[in-house]
Amino acid sequence: MSTRGGAELDALIGEATVDTYDEIEAVNGFLAAIDEHLTVPFATTVLGVEVTVVEIDLTNDFRMVARCVREEFRQDIGLAELPLPEPPPDGAHWVEAYRRWAGC
Protein backbone atom coordinates (compact mmCIF):
# COMPACT_ATOMS: atom_id res chain seq x y z
CA MET A 1 0.00 0.00 0.00
CA SER A 2 2.96 2.30 0.56
CA THR A 3 2.80 5.28 -1.71
CA ARG A 4 5.51 7.26 0.09
CA GLY A 5 9.22 6.75 -0.30
CA GLY A 6 11.50 5.86 2.56
CA ALA A 7 12.87 9.41 2.84
CA GLU A 8 9.36 10.87 3.09
CA LEU A 9 8.35 8.35 5.74
CA ASP A 10 11.58 8.97 7.64
CA ALA A 11 10.80 12.70 7.66
CA LEU A 12 7.34 11.96 9.11
CA ILE A 13 8.93 9.68 11.72
CA GLY A 14 11.26 12.50 12.67
CA GLU A 15 8.33 14.90 12.96
CA ALA A 16 6.30 12.53 15.15
CA THR A 17 9.18 11.64 17.43
CA VAL A 18 10.92 15.00 17.79
CA ASP A 19 11.70 15.76 21.43
CA THR A 20 10.72 12.27 22.59
CA TYR A 21 12.97 10.42 25.00
CA ASP A 22 11.62 6.89 24.95
CA GLU A 23 9.35 4.53 23.04
CA ILE A 24 6.24 5.48 25.03
CA GLU A 25 6.69 9.16 24.23
CA ALA A 26 7.32 8.27 20.57
CA VAL A 27 4.09 6.25 20.36
CA ASN A 28 2.25 9.20 21.88
CA GLY A 29 3.85 11.44 19.25
CA PHE A 30 2.52 9.18 16.51
CA LEU A 31 -0.91 9.11 18.13
CA ALA A 32 -1.01 12.92 18.16
CA ALA A 33 0.03 13.10 14.49
CA ILE A 34 -2.47 10.42 13.46
CA ASP A 35 -5.26 12.09 15.46
CA GLU A 36 -4.50 15.35 13.68
CA HIS A 37 -4.10 14.04 10.14
CA LEU A 38 -5.95 10.73 9.63
CA THR A 39 -9.52 11.13 8.46
CA VAL A 40 -11.86 8.96 10.53
CA PRO A 41 -14.29 7.36 10.29
CA PHE A 42 -13.42 5.23 7.28
CA ALA A 43 -14.52 1.81 6.09
CA THR A 44 -12.17 -1.12 5.60
CA THR A 45 -12.40 -4.90 5.42
CA VAL A 46 -11.11 -7.14 8.22
CA LEU A 47 -11.23 -10.90 7.61
CA GLY A 48 -13.76 -10.42 4.83
CA VAL A 49 -16.11 -8.26 6.90
CA GLU A 50 -16.59 -4.55 6.32
CA VAL A 51 -16.02 -2.50 9.45
CA THR A 52 -15.83 1.19 10.23
CA VAL A 53 -12.73 2.55 11.91
CA VAL A 54 -14.02 5.22 14.28
CA GLU A 55 -10.93 6.03 16.34
CA ILE A 56 -7.24 5.35 16.82
CA ASP A 57 -6.27 4.86 20.46
CA LEU A 58 -3.64 3.41 22.77
CA THR A 59 -4.03 0.33 24.93
CA ASN A 60 -2.85 0.24 28.54
CA ASP A 61 0.41 -1.32 27.30
CA PHE A 62 0.91 1.50 24.74
CA ARG A 63 -0.02 -0.44 21.61
CA MET A 64 -1.72 1.66 18.96
CA VAL A 65 -5.08 0.20 17.90
CA ALA A 66 -7.87 1.03 15.50
CA ARG A 67 -11.30 0.89 17.09
CA CYS A 68 -13.49 -0.94 14.57
CA VAL A 69 -17.28 -1.19 14.72
CA ARG A 70 -19.93 -3.11 12.84
CA GLU A 71 -23.51 -2.86 13.99
CA GLU A 72 -23.41 -3.36 17.77
CA PHE A 73 -20.01 -5.07 17.75
CA ARG A 74 -16.71 -3.37 18.55
CA GLN A 75 -13.19 -4.72 18.15
CA ASP A 76 -9.80 -3.10 18.55
CA ILE A 77 -7.29 -4.16 15.87
CA GLY A 78 -3.58 -3.40 16.11
CA LEU A 79 -2.82 -0.48 13.81
CA ALA A 80 0.13 -2.39 12.40
CA GLU A 81 -2.21 -5.23 11.32
CA LEU A 82 -5.15 -3.14 10.11
CA PRO A 83 -5.73 -3.47 6.36
CA LEU A 84 -6.26 -0.01 4.89
CA PRO A 85 -8.82 0.45 2.12
CA GLU A 86 -8.00 1.38 -1.44
CA PRO A 87 -7.91 4.28 -1.86
CA PRO A 88 -6.65 4.96 1.65
CA PRO A 89 -8.20 7.70 3.78
CA ASP A 90 -6.55 11.11 3.93
CA GLY A 91 -3.63 11.05 6.32
CA ALA A 92 -2.91 7.33 5.86
CA HIS A 93 0.74 8.19 5.21
CA TRP A 94 1.04 8.70 8.99
CA VAL A 95 -0.04 5.07 9.47
CA GLU A 96 2.65 4.07 6.95
CA ALA A 97 5.24 6.07 8.91
CA TYR A 98 4.15 4.47 12.18
CA ARG A 99 4.43 1.00 10.64
CA ARG A 100 7.92 1.78 9.31
CA TRP A 101 9.01 3.08 12.73
CA ALA A 102 7.52 0.04 14.49
CA GLY A 103 9.30 -2.33 12.09
CA CYS A 104 6.13 -3.73 10.55
Side-chain angles (χ1 to χ4, degrees):
M1 185 217 91
S2 182
T3 58
R4 306 277 171 145
E8 286 181 276
L9 294 177
D10 289 343
L12 293 174
I13 291 167
E15 188 176 332
T17 60
V18 68
D19 296 330
T20 62
Y21 298 100
D22 60 26
E23 192 169 308
I24 293 171
E25 287 184 7
V27 169
N28 278 296
F30 275 106
L31 180 62
I34 289 170
D35 278 347
E36 182 178 342
H37 298 286
L38 182 65
T39 300
V40 292
F42 64 88
T44 193
T45 302
V46 176
L47 296 174
V49 177
E50 185 170 303
V51 299
T52 301
V53 175
V54 295
E55 179 182 22
I56 306 299
D57 203 0
L58 291 179
T59 63
N60 290 338
D61 61 352
F62 298 97
R63 288 184 321 109
M64 202 170 309
V65 294
R67 182 144 301 128
C68 302
V69 297
R70 179 180 168 91
E71 299 168 1
E72 73 274 6
F73 300 103
R74 184 187 100 171
Q75 178 72 45
D76 289 347
I77 306 286
L79 190 58
E81 294 81 32
L82 180 75
L84 292 172
E86 216 27 75
D90 289 342
H93 54 283
W94 283 99
V95 175
E96 293 179 52
Y98 168 74
R99 289 174 175 173
R100 181 177 176 94
W101 174 81
C104 302

